[in-house]
Amino acid sequence: MGLRRGYRNYVSNNLFVKMILIFSAIAVLTIMTLSYFTFYFMSRSIVQSELTNQKNAMERVDRYIAAKHDSVQLMVQNIYRDQQLSDNMTYLLKHSFQEYVNRRLDQFMGSQNSSTDGIAYLKNMIEDDQDMENLLLYSTEKQFLYVQSQRNTSRLITTNPSRSFIPDAMALQNGNISVPNEWVRKTINQPDTRLYSVQSSINDLGTLKAVGQLIVYFNSDSILQAISGYEKDFHGYILVLASEGGVIFDSSGNYYGTTYPYADKLNSLNISGELEQDSYISTLTPNNLGYVVVGVAPKQEVAESYRTLRNLILFVSAACILVAVIVPSLVVINFAKRTNRII
């Protein structure tokens, strides 16, 4: 009864209070609506800017890896362009290593140009590119593996199909960029998992038959150079995945040496999805190179970038509501007092 009486005395029968309540409701709804749409469109713009920056970084990563792939192909093309180098490389891959050494001694004694030495050529290539960790030359016919490392060490590994997985692993090489084969990596005593492999076949120019393979292991950490100017411009991480889901590059460093656990989900997701957490997802698939670049930006991390904007809009909206309610209310109350005195 008390509430009903108070409502009747101070609200229902009071024109000035009704005016204040109606005006306040309109002002509050208007300010809240404008604030919501302002925050919505500005936050969308910030999110889009974040994803654009991430996309640019992904494209830089793609260009960097593609350039490394092209450099390996150029190495092989340069072998073909030099007839003496091509002959020596073909002889090395079709004969035993000792026979090749004897051939080189005969050439040296015959005053032939020693710069055409295949082994010296490989050493020069790995010295010229500090991103190379290992350079592997595999003979298809003799099934030996010559390994040159960045630390200026070399090894000759004789493989046997009955006692080694290397011939089978080499048979599976398809020319695409991939994760180094685990058995080959262990055989050459390379414990680092932050590597990616680029492979190219070497053919006999006389018969056009493949006589060997050139495989280069690049340091994946060097890919960070491609996004050195973007780290602070986007949230989340960038991955480069091989066709089977192996991790070629991971800017977060959490998934090296494993298969990315959410690789199967990527094909079914569009712009966003649930991975480790609800995230924005971008993909970039270069043609014919066998890898995909993935950008993952957790929505919670992206939201941190417009937290200040949200707090500012809330503060300004609250101030506007107070001004829009208090000032007209004081004017109406003052006018009501004057009217009551007249009455």
Side-chain angles (χ1 to χ4, degrees):
M1 295 297 292
L3 291 175
R4 183 178 299 176
R5 186 182 302 110
Y7 172 79
R8 185 167 54 251
N9 294 336
Y10 296 102
V11 179
S12 178
N13 297 329
N14 194 321
L15 176 62
F16 296 107
V17 174
K18 285 184 177 180
M19 291 174 59
I20 293 174
L21 292 177
I22 293 174
F23 180 81
S24 298
I26 294 174
V28 170
L29 288 175
T30 301
I31 293 173
M32 290 179 63
T33 301
L34 290 175
S35 299
Y36 171 78
F37 282 108
T38 300
F39 173 73
Y40 177 80
F41 288 112
M42 292 187 70
S43 63
R44 291 298 92 191
S45 177
I46 292 174
V47 170
Q48 188 59 46
S49 177
E50 288 263 349
L51 296 181
T52 299
N53 291 334
Q54 187 181 65
K55 195 75 172 181
N56 291 336
M58 292 166 58
E59 291 173 351
R60 290 284 296 272
V61 169
D62 173 41
R63 290 195 296 269
Y64 186 89
I65 296 177
K68 292 301 181 182
H69 175 271
D70 293 342
S71 69
V72 174
Q73 306 309 312
L74 182 61
M75 288 174 58
V76 177
Q77 292 175 15
N78 288 336
I79 293 174
Y80 296 147
R81 291 191 181 104
D82 188 327
Q83 183 62 50
Q84 290 183 334
L85 176 59
S86 177
D87 291 342
N88 282 332
M89 190 68 74
T90 301
Y91 188 90
L92 169 62
L93 294 172
K94 296 177 69 174
H95 298 79
S96 68
F97 193 80
Q98 185 59 48
E99 289 177 314
Y100 175 77
V101 172
N102 293 335
R103 173 188 170 92
R104 290 297 301 147
L105 289 174
D106 293 340
Q107 290 177 339
F108 181 78
M109 296 300 294
S111 300
Q112 294 192 30
N113 191 350
S114 60
S115 64
T116 59
D117 180 20
I119 299 300
Y121 174 76
L122 297 180
K123 289 182 178 180
N124 291 335
M125 291 299 100
I126 198 170
E127 289 174 359
D128 290 341
D129 191 343
Q130 295 300 313
D131 294 340
M132 293 183 185
E133 286 294 325
N134 301 99
L135 194 153
L136 289 67
L137 184 67
Y138 178 71
S139 169
T140 303
E141 294 187 15
K142 297 300 181 179
Q143 295 183 340
F144 67 78
L145 185 66
Y146 175 79
V147 184
Q148 180 69 43
S149 72
Q150 187 60 248
R151 292 171 295 279
N152 199 27
T153 59
S154 59
R155 293 179 60 196
L156 181 67
I157 301 172
T158 302
T159 66
N160 188 309
S162 62
R163 300 190 302 270
S164 172
F165 290 101
I166 290 182
D168 293 332
M170 292 300 173
L172 295 175
Q173 295 287 335
N174 55 14
N176 293 334
I177 296 173
S178 62
V179 178
N181 181 273
E182 181 179 3
W183 294 105
V184 177
R185 186 168 54 79
K186 290 181 177 179
T187 300
I188 67 173
N189 293 328
Q190 174 55 269
D192 194 357
T193 58
R194 297 171 180 256
L195 302 170
Y196 62 98
S197 170
V198 181
Q199 181 263 347
S200 180
S201 297
I202 298 180
N203 298 328
D204 184 342
L205 290 182
T207 62
L208 298 182
K209 178 183 177 182
V211 293
Q213 299 178 48
L214 178 66
I215 302 173
V216 181
Y217 288 172
F218 288 99
N219 189 334
S220 296
D221 286 340
S222 63
I223 301 176
L224 289 172
Q225 300 173 6
I227 56 175
S228 58
Y230 290 88
E231 299 97 331
K232 298 180 180 179
D233 295 334
F234 67 88
H235 292 81
Y237 57 91
I238 293 177
L239 291 165
V240 180
L241 303 179
S243 56
E244 68 279 2
V247 178
I248 293 174
F249 169 71
D250 175 18
S251 63
S252 69
N254 295 326
Y255 296 105
Y256 280 117
T258 65
T259 299
Y260 186 56
Y262 308 103
D264 294 338
K265 287 186 176 182
L266 295 177
N267 294 330
S268 61
L269 298 177
N270 188 9
I271 299 177
S272 64
E274 187 75 23
L275 299 179
E276 301 95 330
Q277 53 185 301
D278 196 15
S279 306
Y280 298 104
I281 300 169
S282 304
T283 58
L284 181 63
T285 306
N287 294 328
N288 303 323
L289 293 183
Y291 67 88
V292 58
V293 185
V294 181
V296 180
K299 292 184 178 180
Q300 186 175 357
E301 291 186 25
V302 175
E304 294 292 333
S305 60
Y306 54 78
R307 182 184 297 275
T308 302
L309 171 67
R310 183 194 62 188
N311 295 338
L312 178 62
I313 290 178
L314 288 175
F315 175 78
V316 173
S317 299
C320 291
I321 289 174
L322 289 176
V323 173
V325 172
I326 292 175
V327 173
S329 297
L330 294 175
V331 174
V332 172
I333 290 173
N334 183 55
F335 183 77
K337 289 180 179 179
R338 295 172 60 188
T339 302
N340 288 334
R341 284 197 298 268
I342 294 174
I343 295 174

Tab-separated table of all heavy atoms in Angstrom, residues 117-161:
chain	number	residue	atom	x	y	z
A	117	ASP	N	84.472	-29.666	-59.054
A	117	ASP	CA	84.278	-30.736	-58.072
A	117	ASP	C	82.890	-30.626	-57.443
A	117	ASP	O	82.512	-29.579	-56.911
A	117	ASP	CB	85.355	-30.630	-57.000
A	117	ASP	CG	85.219	-31.722	-55.950
A	117	ASP	OD1	84.563	-32.745	-56.229
A	117	ASP	OD2	85.752	-31.532	-54.844
A	118	GLY	N	82.129	-31.726	-57.486
A	118	GLY	CA	80.775	-31.716	-56.941
A	118	GLY	C	80.740	-31.486	-55.443
A	118	GLY	O	79.891	-30.758	-54.926
A	119	ILE	N	81.676	-32.110	-54.713
A	119	ILE	CA	81.725	-31.957	-53.261
A	119	ILE	C	82.067	-30.516	-52.888
A	119	ILE	O	81.467	-29.929	-51.978
A	119	ILE	CB	82.748	-32.933	-52.649
A	119	ILE	CG1	82.342	-34.384	-52.957
A	119	ILE	CG2	82.851	-32.700	-51.153
A	119	ILE	CD1	80.996	-34.776	-52.417
A	120	ALA	N	83.033	-29.932	-53.593
A	120	ALA	CA	83.402	-28.537	-53.325
A	120	ALA	C	82.223	-27.604	-53.621
A	120	ALA	O	82.008	-26.614	-52.903
A	120	ALA	CB	84.620	-28.145	-54.165
A	121	TYR	N	81.467	-27.927	-54.644
A	121	TYR	CA	80.303	-27.105	-54.991
A	121	TYR	C	79.280	-27.118	-53.856
A	121	TYR	O	78.743	-26.067	-53.469
A	121	TYR	CB	79.672	-27.635	-56.277
A	121	TYR	CG	78.381	-26.946	-56.653
A	121	TYR	CD1	78.391	-25.675	-57.214
A	121	TYR	CD2	77.147	-27.563	-56.434
A	121	TYR	CE1	77.198	-25.034	-57.565
A	121	TYR	CE2	75.967	-26.939	-56.772
A	121	TYR	CZ	75.994	-25.671	-57.330
A	121	TYR	OH	74.818	-25.051	-57.660
A	122	LEU	N	79.048	-28.303	-53.280
A	122	LEU	CA	78.089	-28.404	-52.185
A	122	LEU	C	78.573	-27.637	-50.954
A	122	LEU	O	77.790	-26.970	-50.267
A	122	LEU	CB	77.844	-29.873	-51.833
A	122	LEU	CG	77.223	-30.741	-52.936
A	122	LEU	CD1	77.050	-32.173	-52.439
A	122	LEU	CD2	75.895	-30.174	-53.402
A	123	LYS	N	79.873	-27.719	-50.665
A	123	LYS	CA	80.425	-26.987	-49.530
A	123	LYS	C	80.273	-25.486	-49.720
A	123	LYS	O	79.948	-24.750	-48.778
A	123	LYS	CB	81.890	-27.354	-49.340
A	123	LYS	CG	82.122	-28.765	-48.818
A	123	LYS	CD	83.602	-29.035	-48.614
A	123	LYS	CE	83.820	-30.442	-48.042
A	123	LYS	NZ	85.278	-30.733	-47.840
A	124	ASN	N	80.511	-25.029	-50.939
A	124	ASN	CA	80.362	-23.593	-51.203
A	124	ASN	C	78.915	-23.142	-51.024
A	124	ASN	O	78.656	-22.044	-50.508
A	124	ASN	CB	80.834	-23.269	-52.621
A	124	ASN	CG	82.327	-23.425	-52.790
A	124	ASN	OD1	83.077	-23.320	-51.818
A	124	ASN	ND2	82.768	-23.695	-54.011
A	125	MET	N	77.972	-23.980	-51.426
A	125	MET	CA	76.563	-23.614	-51.313
A	125	MET	C	76.126	-23.473	-49.860
A	125	MET	O	75.419	-22.540	-49.494
A	125	MET	CB	75.688	-24.661	-52.018
A	125	MET	CG	75.822	-24.687	-53.528
A	125	MET	SD	75.342	-23.131	-54.339
A	125	MET	CE	76.959	-22.374	-54.620
A	126	ILE	N	76.547	-24.392	-49.017
A	126	ILE	CA	76.122	-24.332	-47.618
A	126	ILE	C	76.841	-23.214	-46.865
A	126	ILE	O	76.304	-22.634	-45.919
A	126	ILE	CB	76.334	-25.702	-46.916
A	126	ILE	CG1	75.503	-25.767	-45.623
A	126	ILE	CG2	77.790	-25.941	-46.613
A	126	ILE	CD1	75.459	-27.138	-45.004
A	127	GLU	N	78.056	-22.877	-47.315
A	127	GLU	CA	78.751	-21.754	-46.699
A	127	GLU	C	78.127	-20.417	-47.077
A	127	GLU	O	78.171	-19.456	-46.292
A	127	GLU	CB	80.231	-21.769	-47.111
A	127	GLU	CG	81.030	-22.901	-46.487
A	127	GLU	CD	82.446	-22.966	-47.020
A	127	GLU	OE1	82.782	-22.133	-47.899
A	127	GLU	OE2	83.210	-23.845	-46.570
A	128	ASP	N	77.516	-20.348	-48.246
A	128	ASP	CA	76.924	-19.096	-48.717
A	128	ASP	C	75.569	-18.813	-48.092
A	128	ASP	O	75.085	-17.674	-48.164
A	128	ASP	CB	76.777	-19.129	-50.245
A	128	ASP	CG	78.123	-19.069	-50.951
A	128	ASP	OD1	79.099	-18.656	-50.300
A	128	ASP	OD2	78.196	-19.450	-52.129
A	129	ASP	N	74.942	-19.817	-47.525
A	129	ASP	CA	73.610	-19.631	-46.933
A	129	ASP	C	73.632	-20.132	-45.492
A	129	ASP	O	73.618	-21.336	-45.241
A	129	ASP	CB	72.559	-20.390	-47.744
A	129	ASP	CG	71.135	-20.023	-47.329
A	129	ASP	OD1	70.949	-19.450	-46.234
A	129	ASP	OD2	70.196	-20.307	-48.103
A	130	GLN	N	73.657	-19.210	-44.543
A	130	GLN	CA	73.733	-19.573	-43.136
A	130	GLN	C	72.442	-20.195	-42.619
A	130	GLN	O	72.413	-20.732	-41.514
A	130	GLN	CB	74.078	-18.332	-42.301
A	130	GLN	CG	75.453	-17.762	-42.591
A	130	GLN	CD	76.554	-18.763	-42.313
A	130	GLN	OE1	76.566	-19.419	-41.267
A	130	GLN	NE2	77.485	-18.911	-43.256
A	131	ASP	N	71.359	-20.102	-43.386
A	131	ASP	CA	70.097	-20.725	-42.965
A	131	ASP	C	70.107	-22.232	-43.176
A	131	ASP	O	69.256	-22.939	-42.632
A	131	ASP	CB	68.910	-20.117	-43.732
A	131	ASP	CG	68.695	-18.661	-43.379
A	131	ASP	OD1	69.180	-18.244	-42.310
A	131	ASP	OD2	68.052	-17.937	-44.162
A	132	MET	N	71.042	-22.738	-43.963
A	132	MET	CA	71.154	-24.179	-44.178
A	132	MET	C	71.806	-24.831	-42.970
A	132	MET	O	72.855	-24.391	-42.520
A	132	MET	CB	71.978	-24.486	-45.426
A	132	MET	CG	71.349	-24.074	-46.730
A	132	MET	SD	72.415	-24.591	-48.121
A	132	MET	CE	71.544	-23.863	-49.508
A	133	GLU	N	71.189	-25.880	-42.466
A	133	GLU	CA	71.788	-26.661	-41.392
A	133	GLU	C	72.513	-27.884	-41.929
A	133	GLU	O	73.603	-28.228	-41.483
A	133	GLU	CB	70.712	-27.098	-40.394
A	133	GLU	CG	70.205	-25.993	-39.507
A	133	GLU	CD	71.276	-25.469	-38.558
A	133	GLU	OE1	72.110	-26.277	-38.092
A	133	GLU	OE2	71.305	-24.261	-38.299
A	134	ASN	N	71.888	-28.557	-42.902
A	134	ASN	CA	72.499	-29.747	-43.501
A	134	ASN	C	72.182	-29.778	-44.980
A	134	ASN	O	71.094	-29.361	-45.412
A	134	ASN	CB	71.975	-31.033	-42.856
A	134	ASN	CG	72.230	-31.090	-41.366
A	134	ASN	OD1	71.343	-30.805	-40.574
A	134	ASN	ND2	73.451	-31.449	-40.981
A	135	LEU	N	73.126	-30.298	-45.722
A	135	LEU	CA	72.927	-30.518	-47.152
A	135	LEU	C	73.198	-31.992	-47.417
A	135	LEU	O	74.291	-32.492	-47.129
A	135	LEU	CB	73.857	-29.615	-47.960
A	135	LEU	CG	73.569	-29.460	-49.440
A	135	LEU	CD1	74.085	-28.110	-49.928
A	135	LEU	CD2	74.218	-30.580	-50.251
A	136	LEU	N	72.206	-32.700	-47.947
A	136	LEU	CA	72.299	-34.145	-48.139
A	136	LEU	C	72.273	-34.473	-49.623
A	136	LEU	O	71.432	-33.947	-50.377
A	136	LEU	CB	71.143	-34.873	-47.460
A	136	LEU	CG	71.095	-34.940	-45.926
A	136	LEU	CD1	70.863	-33.573	-45.303
A	136	LEU	CD2	69.995	-35.892	-45.475
A	137	LEU	N	73.197	-35.326	-50.041
A	137	LEU	CA	73.229	-35.822	-51.408
A	137	LEU	C	73.064	-37.338	-51.351
A	137	LEU	O	73.886	-38.032	-50.744
A	137	LEU	CB	74.545	-35.444	-52.082
A	137	LEU	CG	74.664	-35.820	-53.562
A	137	LEU	CD1	73.693	-35.003	-54.407
A	137	LEU	CD2	76.098	-35.608	-54.057
A	138	TYR	N	71.988	-37.826	-51.979
A	138	TYR	CA	71.690	-39.256	-51.908
A	138	TYR	C	71.808	-39.880	-53.289
A	138	TYR	O	71.264	-39.363	-54.282
A	138	TYR	CB	70.283	-39.475	-51.367
A	138	TYR	CG	69.871	-40.931	-51.314
A	138	TYR	CD1	70.432	-41.798	-50.390
A	138	TYR	CD2	68.934	-41.439	-52.210
A	138	TYR	CE1	70.064	-43.136	-50.339
A	138	TYR	CE2	68.558	-42.770	-52.164
A	138	TYR	CZ	69.122	-43.618	-51.238
A	138	TYR	OH	68.751	-44.942	-51.194
A	139	SER	N	72.523	-41.014	-53.360
A	139	SER	CA	72.670	-41.744	-54.615
A	139	SER	C	71.586	-42.814	-54.706
A	139	SER	O	71.514	-43.708	-53.849
A	139	SER	CB	74.060	-42.390	-54.688
A	139	SER	OG	74.118	-43.295	-55.770
A	140	THR	N	70.781	-42.718	-55.745
A	140	THR	CA	69.706	-43.694	-55.920
A	140	THR	C	70.257	-45.075	-56.243
A	140	THR	O	69.744	-46.098	-55.766
A	140	THR	CB	68.759	-43.234	-57.035
A	140	THR	OG1	68.255	-41.931	-56.716
A	140	THR	CG2	67.589	-44.195	-57.185
A	141	GLU	N	71.315	-45.130	-57.051
A	141	GLU	CA	71.854	-46.416	-57.473
A	141	GLU	C	72.735	-47.040	-56.394
A	141	GLU	O	72.595	-48.221	-56.065
A	141	GLU	CB	72.646	-46.241	-58.772
A	141	GLU	CG	71.787	-45.846	-59.962
A	141	GLU	CD	72.574	-45.846	-61.259
A	141	GLU	OE1	73.689	-46.419	-61.280
A	141	GLU	OE2	72.081	-45.280	-62.259
A	142	LYS	N	73.662	-46.277	-55.823
A	142	LYS	CA	74.600	-46.812	-54.842
A	142	LYS	C	74.074	-46.727	-53.415
A	142	LYS	O	74.653	-47.317	-52.494
A	142	LYS	CB	75.934	-46.071	-54.940
A	142	LYS	CG	76.629	-46.261	-56.284
A	142	LYS	CD	76.920	-47.739	-56.541
A	142	LYS	CE	77.623	-47.942	-57.868
A	142	LYS	NZ	77.933	-49.375	-58.127
A	143	GLN	N	73.000	-45.963	-53.200
A	143	GLN	CA	72.316	-45.850	-51.910
A	143	GLN	C	73.259	-45.406	-50.780
A	143	GLN	O	73.165	-45.878	-49.653
A	143	GLN	CB	71.638	-47.167	-51.542
A	143	GLN	CG	70.515	-47.528	-52.493
A	143	GLN	CD	69.784	-48.793	-52.097
A	143	GLN	OE1	70.301	-49.610	-51.340
A	143	GLN	NE2	68.579	-48.970	-52.617
A	144	PHE	N	74.142	-44.486	-51.120
A	144	PHE	CA	74.925	-43.853	-50.058
A	144	PHE	C	74.399	-42.430	-49.849
A	144	PHE	O	73.759	-41.831	-50.724
A	144	PHE	CB	76.431	-43.847	-50.374
A	144	PHE	CG	76.822	-42.977	-51.539
A	144	PHE	CD1	76.922	-41.597	-51.407
A	144	PHE	CD2	77.132	-43.543	-52.768
A	144	PHE	CE1	77.302	-40.800	-52.469
A	144	PHE	CE2	77.506	-42.749	-53.837
A	144	PHE	CZ	77.579	-41.370	-53.689
A	145	LEU	N	74.695	-41.896	-48.679
A	145	LEU	CA	74.207	-40.566	-48.306
A	145	LEU	C	75.402	-39.714	-47.889
A	145	LEU	O	76.090	-40.033	-46.908
A	145	LEU	CB	73.202	-40.674	-47.162
A	145	LEU	CG	72.496	-39.383	-46.720
A	145	LEU	CD1	71.592	-38.870	-47.825
A	145	LEU	CD2	71.682	-39.648	-45.460
A	146	TYR	N	75.655	-38.661	-48.659
A	146	TYR	CA	76.717	-37.735	-48.305
A	146	TYR	C	76.083	-36.546	-47.586
A	146	TYR	O	75.127	-35.944	-48.079
A	146	TYR	CB	77.457	-37.256	-49.547
A	146	TYR	CG	78.499	-36.202	-49.252
A	146	TYR	CD1	79.747	-36.536	-48.744
A	146	TYR	CD2	78.212	-34.856	-49.455
A	146	TYR	CE1	80.692	-35.574	-48.452
A	146	TYR	CE2	79.142	-33.875	-49.168
A	146	TYR	CZ	80.385	-34.231	-48.666
A	146	TYR	OH	81.309	-33.269	-48.371
A	147	VAL	N	76.623	-36.196	-46.408
A	147	VAL	CA	76.042	-35.147	-45.575
A	147	VAL	C	77.080	-34.063	-45.327
A	147	VAL	O	78.183	-34.340	-44.850
A	147	VAL	CB	75.558	-35.712	-44.210
A	147	VAL	CG1	74.879	-34.617	-43.399
A	147	VAL	CG2	74.632	-36.896	-44.425
A	148	GLN	N	76.718	-32.848	-45.651
A	148	GLN	CA	77.554	-31.686	-45.364
A	148	GLN	C	76.787	-30.786	-44.393
A	148	GLN	O	75.648	-30.414	-44.666
A	148	GLN	CB	77.873	-30.921	-46.652
A	148	GLN	CG	78.748	-29.699	-46.457
A	148	GLN	CD	80.169	-30.065	-46.065
A	148	GLN	OE1	80.749	-30.986	-46.633
A	148	GLN	NE2	80.729	-29.358	-45.100
A	149	SER	N	77.407	-30.448	-43.273
A	149	SER	CA	76.729	-29.625	-42.270
A	149	SER	C	77.282	-28.206	-42.280
A	149	SER	O	78.341	-27.922	-42.839
A	149	SER	CB	76.883	-30.228	-40.871
A	149	SER	OG	78.199	-30.058	-40.406
A	150	GLN	N	76.530	-27.301	-41.617
A	150	GLN	CA	76.931	-25.901	-41.544
A	150	GLN	C	78.223	-25.729	-40.750
A	150	GLN	O	78.936	-24.738	-40.942
A	150	GLN	CB	75.799	-25.085	-40.899
A	150	GLN	CG	75.997	-23.589	-40.895
A	150	GLN	CD	76.122	-23.017	-42.295
A	150	GLN	OE1	77.198	-22.557	-42.675
A	150	GLN	NE2	75.037	-23.071	-43.058
A	151	ARG	N	78.514	-26.658	-39.863
A	151	ARG	CA	79.718	-26.572	-39.031
A	151	ARG	C	80.953	-27.118	-39.753
A	151	ARG	O	81.932	-27.501	-39.118
A	151	ARG	CB	79.497	-27.337	-37.723
A	151	ARG	CG	78.473	-26.670	-36.821
A	151	ARG	CD	78.102	-27.535	-35.643
A	151	ARG	NE	77.425	-28.762	-36.047
A	151	ARG	CZ	76.127	-28.826	-36.340
A	151	ARG	NH1	75.376	-27.738	-36.273
A	151	ARG	NH2	75.583	-29.969	-36.692
A	152	ASN	N	80.878	-27.174	-41.084
A	152	ASN	CA	81.998	-27.565	-41.940
A	152	ASN	C	82.461	-28.995	-41.665
A	152	ASN	O	83.653	-29.317	-41.720
A	152	ASN	CB	83.180	-26.592	-41.763
A	152	ASN	CG	84.151	-26.668	-42.935
A	152	ASN	OD1	83.756	-27.017	-44.051
A	152	ASN	ND2	85.403	-26.347	-42.690
A	153	THR	N	81.499	-29.843	-41.331
A	153	THR	CA	81.791	-31.265	-41.174
A	153	THR	C	81.021	-32.044	-42.232
A	153	THR	O	79.942	-31.625	-42.664
A	153	THR	CB	81.381	-31.764	-39.775
A	153	THR	OG1	79.970	-31.545	-39.592
A	153	THR	CG2	82.151	-31.038	-38.697
A	154	SER	N	81.597	-33.152	-42.648
A	154	SER	CA	80.947	-33.968	-43.679
A	154	SER	C	81.011	-35.437	-43.272
A	154	SER	O	81.921	-35.853	-42.549
A	154	SER	CB	81.608	-33.751	-45.041
A	154	SER	OG	82.982	-34.086	-44.989
A	155	ARG	N	80.045	-36.178	-43.750
A	155	ARG	CA	79.988	-37.610	-43.452
A	155	ARG	C	79.508	-38.354	-44.694
A	155	ARG	O	78.730	-37.821	-45.499
A	155	ARG	CB	79.004	-37.908	-42.314
A	155	ARG	CG	79.393	-37.376	-40.955
A	155	ARG	CD	78.326	-37.716	-39.936
A	155	ARG	NE	78.151	-39.169	-39.822
A	155	ARG	CZ	77.091	-39.738	-39.239
A	155	ARG	NH1	76.132	-38.988	-38.744
A	155	ARG	NH2	77.025	-41.056	-39.156
A	156	LEU	N	79.973	-39.575	-44.823
A	156	LEU	CA	79.489	-40.463	-45.869
A	156	LEU	C	78.836	-41.653	-45.182
A	156	LEU	O	79.483	-42.374	-44.416
A	156	LEU	CB	80.639	-40.925	-46.770
A	156	LEU	CG	80.228	-41.844	-47.923
A	156	LEU	CD1	79.365	-41.081	-48.919
A	156	LEU	CD2	81.457	-42.429	-48.609
A	157	ILE	N	77.545	-41.842	-45.448
A	157	ILE	CA	76.779	-42.896	-44.788
A	157	ILE	C	76.348	-43.911	-45.843
A	157	ILE	O	75.657	-43.558	-46.809
A	157	ILE	CB	75.541	-42.319	-44.068
A	157	ILE	CG1	75.984	-41.285	-43.029
A	157	ILE	CG2	74.723	-43.422	-43.416
A	157	ILE	CD1	74.828	-40.535	-42.401
A	158	THR	N	76.777	-45.152	-45.655
A	158	THR	CA	76.364	-46.226	-46.555
A	158	THR	C	75.098	-46.859	-46.009
A	158	THR	O	75.043	-47.287	-44.851
A	158	THR	CB	77.467	-47.292	-46.672
A	158	THR	OG1	78.670	-46.676	-47.135
A	158	THR	CG2	77.050	-48.386	-47.650
A	159	THR	N	74.079	-46.910	-46.820
A	159	THR	CA	72.788	-47.448	-46.381
A	159	THR	C	72.533	-48.799	-47.016
A	159	THR	O	73.065	-49.126	-48.082
A	159	THR	CB	71.646	-46.494	-46.750
A	159	THR	OG1	71.528	-46.426	-48.184
A	159	THR	CG2	71.898	-45.096	-46.200
A	160	ASN	N	71.718	-49.572	-46.365
A	160	ASN	CA	71.347	-50.893	-46.861
A	160	ASN	C	69.853	-51.076	-46.607
A	160	ASN	O	69.393	-50.919	-45.477
A	160	ASN	CB	72.145	-51.978	-46.137
A	160	ASN	CG	71.927	-53.353	-46.749
A	160	ASN	OD1	70.796	-53.791	-46.945
A	160	ASN	ND2	73.033	-54.039	-47.052
A	161	PRO	N	69.063	-51.386	-47.640
A	161	PRO	CA	67.620	-51.504	-47.452
A	161	PRO	C	67.212	-52.495	-46.372
A	161	PRO	O	66.155	-52.345	-45.753
A	161	PRO	CB	67.123	-51.967	-48.832
A	161	PRO	CG	68.175	-51.516	-49.791
A	161	PRO	CD	69.469	-51.603	-49.035
